[in-house]
Amino acid sequence: MLPYALAALSGALYFLGWAGFDLWPLSLIALVPLLWVLDPARGPLRKRQLWGIGLSTGVVLNLGGYYWIIGTLERFSGFPFAVCTAIALLLYTYQGLTMVLFAFLYHRARQHGGSTIASACAAMCFAEWSFPMLFKHYFGVSLHAQVKLLQIADLGGPLLVTALLCTVNAGIYSAACALAERVPRPKPFRFRAWAFREPVLALGVLVAALGYGAYRVAEVDARAAKAPRVKMGLVQANMGLFQKREDPEEGLRRHIEQSLELERQHPDMDLLLWPESAFAWFLPEGIQNVASAVLGNRIHTPTLFGGLALRRQDGKRRFYNTAFMADSNGTVTGTYDKTYLLTFSEYVPFAEEFPILQRWTPNSGNFSPGVHVRPVKLGSYRLSVLICYEDILAGFVRRVIHEAKPHVLINLTNDAWFGDTHAPWEHLALAKLRSVEHHRSLVRATNSGVTAVVDPVGRLVAATKLFTREDIVHEVPMLDVSYPYHVLGDFPGPVAGLILIGLWLVQKRRRAGA
């Protein structure tokens, strides 16, 4: 039972060091117990054992990191608590398969002669890159508040930050093994220098990452200081999860009231931001002006707001989760429809084929996905809108950067459905990586928190609390310079696959020549 307990300990250290709990130093040692269990030096492991070890880690880390899923499912699906718990356990198990894949890949790579660092980095990066998780997360996000260490994301995205953390964990594990291995008498306390090559390598990589981070932070800060700025006002009206549906007039009243107060306090404000579905009625196709319907004929600052769109396509009514850009006269100058919809919140899988599923989950939406990522414009500036959890999808945002070439990333979201849990902070932490990858500010307007401004190097420069009525006003630099991640993308994933294949081929050749 000890191997499974140690594997579970790794899972616990993982989620405690991850976003939400934010005990980030624990992430530096989170994999150490698991690496000890999987080390072939302690003997080969059977497939059944690797399954058990991987699931012990994976289920625990997902249970701790996503404990809030049970309550969220209960609120949205309408299913009983027992059913929601069963669904959540299935989800934890499914997502835990990522660590099963890691366990198999790491153990085999070590058996094939791979070093601890190379095996750990390749196995984790390939697992995170290839496994289709419903709630995408990365080990490297544990470092979301360590700005200098985070800057390598502009080279290889979150996978490269994961590789850095794996390198540190493997270095610490190797150092512990070296310290435990003493040379036989007559000098029992003299250690073998070669045994410390991996810890030294890990230290070197860490120092190099810090050096690169210091350089990049200085470079981007200097560029941002010279860039033109847009003064944005962010409105957090704090409407409850179902209160927005039950009393949409109150929601609109709050947004207008807070916006007028911001206009009085900041007459030079360039843009107002309202969160996802701030306007809770459906706007018809082709609407050209929202001064009366949405802005109450009182707001005269350009406003980007979340709303709902109703259109007819192929003889059917289609509903969209949409962001609308209105100028100072209320004229709609651009829209963006959410592309990635949230299961059981915005749509029910297979509901079109089996309509009864929609009736079984009365609190779920029935939205259609958007088909473009065009930016909305504020004068000469391009603003790319990401709705809800689209800001945690690294590949999708990279596509947005390619096609829209925005000066800033704007996220409109409603995290009230998470409740007062770690989830809104986890969402924000995952989203921070988008700022670092592309060195644009990320501005987030939310219904109930966390409304925030993340600067182009990933610093959290302004943030609200959860479930409060608050506003933020901040001047945001307009940047559009490309960085390596724009071209290279998530290269650590396929490179990790090649390393694993290479180790297997080398071992196969050795066996053939034996």
Side-chain angles (χ1 to χ4, degrees), residues 240-259:
L241 180 63
F242 296 110
Q243 187 182 3
K244 290 180 68 176
R245 300 180 185 179
E246 296 166 355
D247 194 0
E249 291 89 354
E250 172 64 13
L252 183 59
R253 185 193 69 80
R254 291 189 188 189
H255 284 93
I256 292 175
E257 178 184 89
Q258 291 177 234
S259 297

Side-chain angles (χ1 to χ4, degrees), residues 86 127 136 169 202 206 229:
K136 192 71 174 177
N169 273 264
L206 182 62
R229 292 176 177 263

Side-chain angles (χ1 to χ4, degrees), residues 118-136:
S119 300
C121 290
M124 187 66 81
C125 286
F126 186 79
E128 288 189 347
W129 175 68
S130 63
F131 193 85
M133 287 185 279
L134 181 59
F135 290 93
K136 192 71 174 177

Side-chain angles (χ1 to χ4, degrees), residues 223-508:
R223 192 181 297 276
K226 298 176 183 177
R229 292 176 177 263
V230 170
K231 192 170 187 178
M232 299 185 184
L234 289 65
V235 175
Q236 179 174 303
N238 189 32
M239 293 290 289
L241 180 63
F242 296 110
Q243 187 182 3
K244 290 180 68 176
R245 300 180 185 179
E246 296 166 355
D247 194 0
E249 291 89 354
E250 172 64 13
L252 183 59
R253 185 193 69 80
R254 291 189 188 189
H255 284 93
I256 292 175
E257 178 184 89
Q258 291 177 234
S259 297
L260 291 172
E261 181 64 25
L262 285 176
E263 285 188 328
R264 284 191 292 270
Q265 295 176 357
H266 303 275
D268 59 340
M269 189 166 51
D270 300 303
L271 178 66
L272 276 166
L273 296 177
W274 294 3
E276 177 185 16
S277 63
F279 186 76
W281 295 273
F282 284 94
L283 291 168
E285 184 174 9
I287 189 169
Q288 296 181 349
N289 193 286
V290 295
S292 175
V294 180
L295 305 178
N297 287 319
R298 301 165 69 190
I299 296 173
H300 301 291
T301 302
T303 303
L304 178 62
F305 66 93
L308 306 172
L310 171 61
R311 307 188 191 113
R312 186 168 290 277
Q313 294 179 350
D314 302 324
K316 295 182 179 179
R317 292 195 308 168
R318 299 285 183 181
F319 307 104
Y320 295 88
N321 187 346
T322 302
F324 296 83
M325 183 69 185
D327 66 12
S328 58
N329 298 314
T331 301
V332 176
T333 61
T335 63
Y336 166 73
D337 301 323
K338 185 179 180 185
T339 302
Y340 283 89
L341 302 178
L342 191 63
T343 309
F344 292 115
S345 171
E346 294 168 312
Y347 82 103
V348 178
F350 309 111
E352 286 200 12
E353 293 80 3
F354 306 100
I356 193 173
L357 294 176
Q358 195 73 51
R359 295 195 294 272
W360 285 351
T361 57
N363 293 326
S364 300
N366 185 23
F367 290 96
S368 296
V371 295
H372 72 81
V373 294
R374 289 191 298 270
V376 298
K377 292 189 176 181
L378 180 69
S380 61
Y381 300 123
R382 298 177 297 276
L383 287 61
S384 278
V385 183
L386 310 166
I387 298 178
C388 193
Y389 80 122
E390 288 180 330
D391 61 349
I392 72 172
L393 305 175
F396 175 68
V397 175
R398 184 165 166 261
R399 174 194 161 195
V400 168
I401 296 292
H402 267 293
E403 297 185 23
K405 299 178 174 58
H407 294 89
V408 64
L409 298 171
I410 294 179
N411 176 232
L412 308 182
T413 191
N414 175 20
D415 282 350
W417 57 282
F418 289 131
D420 189 8
T421 66
H422 287 150
W425 298 101
E426 292 174 358
H427 187 175
L428 174 60
L430 286 160
K432 282 183 183 181
L433 271 293
R434 309 296 84 76
S435 284
V436 182
E437 290 157 5
H438 305 288
H439 294 304
R440 269 96 164 155
S441 292
L442 173 68
V443 183
R444 305 180 77 238
T446 74
N447 172 55
S448 57
V450 182
T451 297
V453 179
V454 181
D455 78 1
V457 294
R459 285 182 293 238
L460 187 63
V461 295
T464 64
K465 297 177 182 178
L466 290 178
F467 297 100
T468 57
R469 286 187 69 177
E470 292 187 62
D471 304 313
I472 290 176
V473 177
H474 198 83
E475 292 188 354
V476 179
M478 298 290 104
L479 299 171
D480 62 353
V481 176
S482 294
Y483 286 84
Y485 182 70
H486 182 75
V487 176
L488 299 175
D490 296 315
F491 76 86
V495 168
L498 292 174
I499 291 172
L500 294 169
I501 292 172
L503 290 171
W504 174 75
L505 289 174
V506 169
Q507 181 67 9
K508 187 177 181 181

Side-chain angles (χ1 to χ4, degrees), residues 185-207:
R185 293 178 182 274
K187 296 182 179 180
F189 298 106
R190 189 183 70 192
F191 303 109
R192 300 176 182 175
W194 61 266
F196 288 91
R197 64 193 185 282
E198 290 202 73
V200 170
L201 174 60
L203 180 61
V205 169
L206 182 62
V207 170

Side-chain angles (χ1 to χ4, degrees), residues 173-187:
Y173 172 71
S174 297
C177 290
L179 289 170
E181 184 181 349
R182 300 172 180 175
V183 175
R185 293 178 182 274
K187 296 182 179 180

